[in-house]
Amino acid sequence: MLKTVAAVLVDEFAPFEFGVLCEVFGVDRTDDGVPPFEFRVCAEQANVPLRTSLGVSLIPEYDLSALDDADLVAIPACNIRAEYPEPVLEAIRNASARGATVLTVCSGAFLLGATGLLDGRLCTTHWRHAADFADRFPDAKLDPDVLFVDDGDIITSAGTAAGIDACLHLVRRELGSGPAAAIARRMVVPPQRDGGQRQYVELPMPQTGDSLEPVLTWMIEHLAVEHTVAELAKRAQMSERTFARRFVAETGTTPLRWLSTQRVMHAQRLLEETGLSIEDIAQQCGFSSAALLRHHFNKVVGVGPKDYRRTFAASPKGQKSG
């Protein structure tokens, strides 16, 4: 049962991610049918100001003894550093050893990783920190693509919004869908997003050399056109074999895979900025059908076009569901 929540802070913690924990677990929502939580804000020393990452300070009411009987130990994001306070690490280890669930938001996974509790465990963190995390904690089983990972008594999440998803998932897991939906309704957020959904990472333009830049630009300007390697090689004034080899060297992938990714990126923009139907977007992006667009879009982005539009469309008015 989830009754007592201890949010553990260290110096230079992130106030927004800490606010996520406060909003889900620290607000009295008993009028909405949500069971009450005892919410404790903890640090190595009680009543001593801690700096945030944004130039303001906060005074935690509890010291680390508040973790001794907490059902949930929640760790918000904080500035990544070489070392974390050993008393904090030991208190988290002890809480986990006696059966507490541990949840992290964003870079809070680095603090948890420093305890050793993520060794051999499935976990995630913000995509921007994934490479650094993997270098620091090679024994952790990092999945950098997902919103959050529920590995039983350890839940880790990606960026800020994913932290909300992870918290609501835990409430749903422990208390049922009713309390989770009530909290989400008050927060005006979706009541459930699948943890396996990919983090929304903007796909960068591939880094290229000068030799293929004109061809790549032409391909982007003519996404609706069917392209073959033979035609592209001719435009680049190369043999097919030389063109294919140089394309992989300069972009890191094959011509058709690169083109498919550019088409998906264009579809993202159209979903965000226009009310075109899915079928019309498929045609404009060079996919022969809405079904083919859905297939490639799911493969690259991790969700379908309609779900993406609901989340990111600038204005839903006048949009067709096509």
Side-chain angles (χ1 to χ4, degrees), residues 80 106 110 125-133 144 199 201:
I80 298 169
C106 194
F110 282 77
T125 190
H126 194 290
W127 60 269
R128 290 189 65 182
H129 306 312
D132 187 14
F133 185 92
Q199 298 180 32
V201 181

Side-chain angles (χ1 to χ4, degrees), residues 102-300:
V102 183
L103 179 147
T104 68
V105 181
C106 194
S107 59
F110 282 77
L111 194 159
L112 183 57
T115 68
L117 293 174
L118 290 179
D119 291 353
R121 302 292 296 267
L122 294 172
C123 60
T124 193
T125 190
H126 194 290
W127 60 269
R128 290 189 65 182
H129 306 312
D132 187 14
F133 185 92
D135 288 341
R136 291 174 184 241
F137 310 110
D139 293 331
K141 297 180 179 179
L142 178 70
D143 186 342
D145 289 331
V146 297
L147 295 179
F148 63 86
V149 172
D150 181 346
D151 197 37
D153 60 345
I154 291 179
I155 298 176
T156 50
S157 63
T160 303
I164 298 174
D165 296 322
C167 291
L168 291 176
H169 167 78
L170 178 61
V171 171
R172 186 180 305 106
R173 189 186 82 177
E174 298 297 319
L175 302 177
S177 59
I183 295 172
R185 199 160 46 241
R186 284 281 295 272
M187 293 176 66
V188 196
V189 297
Q192 182 171 1
R193 286 200 298 171
D194 181 17
Q197 183 173 314
R198 292 185 183 178
Q199 298 180 32
Y200 288 111
V201 181
E202 184 178 354
L203 297 172
M205 287 289 291
Q207 299 297 313
T208 63
D210 294 335
S211 60
L212 291 182
E213 191 68 40
V215 176
L216 297 176
T217 300
W218 184 85
M219 292 169 69
I220 291 174
E221 292 173 349
H222 298 83
L223 290 175
V225 177
E226 288 295 326
H227 300 287
T228 66
V229 173
E231 292 170 345
L232 294 171
K234 184 177 180 180
R235 179 170 290 276
Q237 298 182 335
M238 300 176 186
S239 69
E240 291 185 40
R241 185 174 181 179
T242 299
F243 174 78
R245 183 174 64 249
R246 188 167 297 177
F247 199 101
V248 171
E250 293 188 7
T251 69
T253 189
T254 65
L256 296 183
R257 287 180 180 173
W258 185 87
L259 180 61
S260 178
T261 299
Q262 300 307 310
R263 284 170 168 163
V264 168
M265 291 172 65
H266 186 48
Q268 286 179 292
R269 289 190 288 271
L270 293 177
L271 289 165
E272 293 171 12
E273 300 170 4
T274 77
L276 292 172
S277 69
I278 304 300
E279 189 68 46
D280 289 340
I281 290 175
Q283 295 299 323
Q284 288 200 23
C285 294
F287 295 111
S288 59
S289 67
L292 194 60
L293 167 61
R294 293 186 188 99
H295 170 76
H296 287 282
F297 201 95
N298 264 296
K299 187 175 181 180
V300 173

